Amino acid sequence: MSSSKLSKKEQDEIVEKLIASLDVLDINEEIDQQLYDQLDANHQQQVDDAIREFADAAIGSDTWDSDEW
């Protein structure tokens, strides 16, 4: 976690940037961990949810990691 607390607006901007980057990441790339680590838990959850939705859409199923497979 960053030592200086970011404003809500700054965190919202980071969330937007990280989510927008999902479409252009190469298969071996990850999101910018340094940016992600600056977010509070609620903003991190927004990014996590977007990653999950992205994976669900890419795979074509929202149960791809469940025991149903």
Side-chain angles (χ1 to χ4, degrees), residues 5-54:
K5 187 169 177 160
L6 298 175
S7 70
K8 181 183 180 319
K9 181 181 178 186
E10 290 171 317
Q11 291 192 65
D12 289 342
E13 290 170 355
I14 291 173
V15 168
E16 287 180 30
K17 181 177 181 174
L18 291 174
I19 291 173
S21 74
L22 294 176
D23 287 331
V24 296
L25 288 178
D26 185 50
I27 195 151
N28 295 321
E29 289 182 295
E30 296 181 4
I31 64 167
D32 187 328
Q33 191 68 43
Q34 289 181 333
L35 286 178
Y36 181 85
D37 288 344
Q38 294 180 52
L39 300 173
D40 62 25
N42 291 332
H43 284 90
Q44 285 182 348
Q45 187 62 52
Q46 289 176 2
V47 174
D48 294 346
D49 290 345
I51 292 169
R52 177 66 185 203
E53 287 177 27
F54 182 84

